[in-house]
Amino acid sequence: MTAKTKNLPYYYKSVDWNKLVSEYEPPIEFMEGTWKWSRDQIESTQLKRLHETLEKGSKIPFFQRLWKKHDFTPNDVKSLDDVSKIPSYTIDDIRDSIDREPPFGDYQAYRFEDGKHTPLRIYMSGGTTGAPRPTIYSSWDREVGAILSARTFYMHGIRPGDAVMNSWAYSTHNAAWIMDHGLWHWLGCTPITTGIGNVTPTEKQVELAKTFGVTSILATSDYLVHIGNTAKKMGIDPKTDLNLKTLSAFGTKEPVEKMFGIPVYDSYAFHEVQYVASECEAESGLHIFEDAFIVEIVDFETGEPLPLGHRGNVVVTALYKTGTQQIRYNIQDISASFKLEKCTCGSWHRKIDYFQGRSDNMVKLRGINIWPEAIGDIVNESPKVNGEYFCYVERINNREEMTVLVEPKFSSSDKHVLKLELEEELRRRTGVKIYVQIVEEDSLQELTGHGSRAKLVRFEDRR
């Protein structure tokens, strides 16, 4: 080995692999090990890793500034009950950090020059709610994230030897890459990397799924329904003509189950921390991977922890990161905590409810809080629509008004009658007038990004 190569940060040297799989078990070991831990074992591990995480955070300028502002020190945390004492932050604080120290912000633990001694990857959020936010990942962080992905897919019925079509966007965003990594490196599956429709046309994806006997597809619920509808237009029955046995989706499951006639499982993840929680065979909420995370549900306005069952913002503390830390990050996704009890699947890992939208998309109409995702769920209960919708809010004569654009399922539908039916149902369910506009089939793609975005846009604020 020459002097030049001796100091290269080779990937295979960058992780203590035995330590990695001991602390964060891959899928099969996880289901026999960590998954069956008692509450005492879960919580003692969380507290230990929380103290380690706070120590790492104390060396990052972003947290030094935040904690000083709120007169907090890591020594204030004596037990898990003290987690709420840690100051939380939101995406607005991240944006402020980037403005202070562009382009990375002062919340990063690494910079590109650190790649001289350790392999790094950078990914950026999709920018759905603003400018993209970068995160630099260490090898350890990527491998744990991939293991969490593989755990999720195993819980969803995907097994070694399966060919899995990955229909997420391979872009600057983290999602598709960590899914691919988890399937290949930690689950013994063969990923077929189609990406979304503007990379590999949906018709071609249907052909690939049929030709190669794909057993599962990774995609949003919206795009899975689109794949199914495309198959039907091609004369292929998604229930009988494909080899699919299970689907790992993100979003409302019912339309996907109806389309494919097989089990569909949900999960929860986001850019900075990768997979946080997964549905199990019981299909009654999302189990948090509590060896890797502490998850809280807090009040939208006050940020105070909420009782079980109450909807609020998701606050996440990642316990496994070596690089950029996420310590009480209020991601502003909406969910609720479930009662702490042993699941019928045998696990004591806490559960949260399914993703219910984003609180920063909330619109107040005549004193009533309205979420676009909830509007979409209501209109899509009608058998006369095809599942596509787009909401916008505007100010008319000093009053906020919301309109939802909807595509009919049948071209023969009476649009005026359908409009009145949906408006009446929305008024009955929400208690407020919401306008409905029936548009032509496939006309919403430019607004939602269907076929070009993995995570669709469903709302626009036009005020």
Side-chain angles (χ1 to χ4, degrees):
M1 182 177 290
T2 66
K4 287 184 178 180
T5 60
K6 185 176 181 181
N7 294 322
L8 277 175
Y10 287 119
Y11 195 85
Y12 76 95
K13 293 182 176 180
S14 66
V15 174
D16 182 337
W17 299 98
N18 290 329
K19 183 173 187 284
L20 174 72
V21 299
S22 173
E23 293 191 10
Y24 295 96
E25 294 172 319
I28 296 174
E29 295 90 338
F30 171 74
M31 298 305 293
E32 294 300 319
T34 306
W35 191 239
K36 297 182 178 180
W37 279 1
S38 67
R39 283 310 305 175
D40 284 345
Q41 191 168 3
I42 291 171
E43 292 174 9
S44 63
T45 300
Q46 284 184 313
L47 184 59
K48 174 180 178 293
R49 292 178 177 173
L50 176 60
H51 285 148
E52 294 168 352
T53 297
L54 290 170
E55 173 63 23
K56 294 168 193 163
S58 69
K59 299 174 183 176
I60 297 174
F62 174 84
F63 290 107
Q64 291 172 348
R65 187 175 68 254
L66 176 67
W67 294 350
K68 182 178 181 181
K69 178 181 177 181
H70 293 274
D71 195 26
F72 167 82
T73 72
N75 291 331
D76 295 335
V77 176
K78 309 296 184 186
S79 71
L80 290 180
D81 292 335
D82 295 328
V83 169
S84 60
K85 295 179 179 179
I86 306 170
S88 65
Y89 64 99
T90 69
I91 192 172
D92 291 330
D93 297 296
I94 295 295
R95 291 172 182 149
D96 176 67
S97 173
I98 294 171
D99 289 341
R100 285 172 176 270
E101 198 171 307
F104 297 107
D106 64 353
Y107 61 93
Q108 307 284 353
Y110 291 115
R111 293 292 187 271
F112 286 163
E113 55 265 27
D114 293 306
K116 294 177 182 178
H117 58 78
T118 184
L120 300 174
R121 294 297 301 261
I122 183 170
Y123 293 99
M124 284 157 271
S125 70
T128 304
T129 56
R133 55 190 189 274
T135 300
I136 300 175
Y137 299 85
S138 68
S139 304
W140 176 277
D141 298 346
R142 293 296 291 162
E143 293 300 335
V144 175
I147 288 172
L148 297 175
S149 303
R151 288 179 182 179
T152 298
F153 304 145
Y154 190 88
M155 290 170 65
H156 292 179
I158 298 173
R159 294 293 182 266
D162 284 343
V164 181
M165 194 162 77
N166 192 343
S167 297
W168 281 77
Y170 285 81
S171 65
T172 57
H173 193 276
N174 184 8
W177 302 100
I178 202 64
M179 295 173 186
D180 183 278
H181 195 141
L183 288 168
W184 183 30
H185 288 245
W186 294 105
L187 195 50
C189 297
T190 303
I192 297 177
T193 53
T194 59
I196 50 180
N198 68 337
V199 177
T200 306
T202 307
E203 294 81 1
K204 186 66 175 177
Q205 297 198 35
V206 174
E207 291 174 3
L208 290 171
K210 191 172 189 300
T211 299
F212 292 101
V214 166
T215 56
S216 188
I217 302 173
L218 310 181
T220 62
S221 297
D222 292 316
Y223 193 55
L224 285 168
V225 170
H226 182 63
I227 289 173
N229 283 325
T230 301
K232 288 182 177 181
K233 291 177 182 178
M234 297 168 64
I236 295 172
D237 189 331
K239 292 182 179 178
T240 60
D241 295 338
L242 300 176
N243 190 45
L244 297 170
K245 65 178 184 180
T246 184
L247 291 169
S248 185
F250 183 84
T252 306
K253 300 193 309 176
E254 288 75 13
V256 187
E257 292 171 333
K258 185 177 179 181
M259 176 68 69
F260 292 94
I262 57 176
V264 180
Y265 297 96
D266 201 353
S267 56
Y268 177 68
F270 63 90
H271 161 66
E272 287 92 347
V273 302
Q274 305 158 120
Y275 275 89
V276 176
S278 174
E279 192 170 29
C280 71
E281 60 195 28
E283 298 186 68
S284 58
L286 306 174
H287 282 285
I288 303 161
F289 295 121
E290 289 197 275
D291 58 330
F293 299 101
I294 295 173
V295 176
E296 306 161 80
I297 306 297
V298 304
D299 185 87
F300 297 126
E301 302 294 334
T302 68
E304 293 298 315
L306 288 172
L308 298 176
H310 288 248
R311 290 203 309 175
N313 281 338
V314 177
V315 173
V316 173
T317 298
L319 303 174
Y320 70 89
K321 304 286 288 289
T322 61
T324 302
Q325 302 296 313
Q326 284 73 44
I327 305 172
R328 294 206 80 224
Y329 183 15
N330 185 339
I331 190 65
Q332 295 176 296
D333 287 340
I334 303 170
S335 186
S337 295
F338 281 19
K339 179 181 178 182
L340 178 57
E341 59 185 358
K342 191 173 186 179
C343 179
T344 56
C345 74
S347 179
W348 275 102
H349 286 249
R350 290 180 185 271
K351 289 182 185 178
I352 55 172
D353 204 350
Y354 303 94
F355 174 75
Q356 299 175 34
R358 290 191 55 81
S359 63
D360 54 357
N361 276 351
M362 185 192 77
V363 177
K364 189 175 284 292
L365 298 178
R366 270 78 77 197
I368 296 176
N369 295 336
I370 303 293
W371 283 273
E373 293 84 0
I375 299 304
D377 288 343
I378 293 171
V379 299
N380 285 329
E381 289 177 7
S382 169
K384 298 180 182 179
V385 305
N386 70 358
E388 287 303 307
Y389 72 94
F390 181 83
C391 302
Y392 65 86
V393 64
E394 57 188 342
R395 185 172 284 109
I396 300 176
N397 296 327
N398 293 320
R399 191 164 102 160
E400 270 70 35
E401 302 287 1
M402 177 175 276
T403 301
V404 55
L405 310 180
V406 180
E407 294 183 4
K409 190 172 185 178
F410 308 106
S411 58
S412 59
S413 295
D414 186 317
K415 294 182 179 178
H416 181 66
V417 171
L418 179 57
K419 165 186 165 68
L420 294 179
E421 288 177 351
L422 293 176
E423 286 184 344
E424 173 57 25
E425 184 65 10
L426 286 168
R427 185 202 61 76
R428 186 182 71 82
R429 299 273 288 274
T430 67
V432 67
K433 173 72 173 179
I434 295 173
Y435 295 95
V436 174
Q437 182 180 344
I438 308 301
V439 299
E440 296 300 319
E441 186 179 7
D442 296 331
S443 65
L444 295 180
Q445 291 184 2
E446 186 173 342
L447 290 172
T448 64
H450 217 152
S452 60
R453 295 177 61 96
K455 191 175 181 181
L456 302 187
V457 177
R458 295 296 191 185
F459 173 73
E460 182 180 351
D461 191 337
R462 298 181 180 178
R463 289 173 290 188

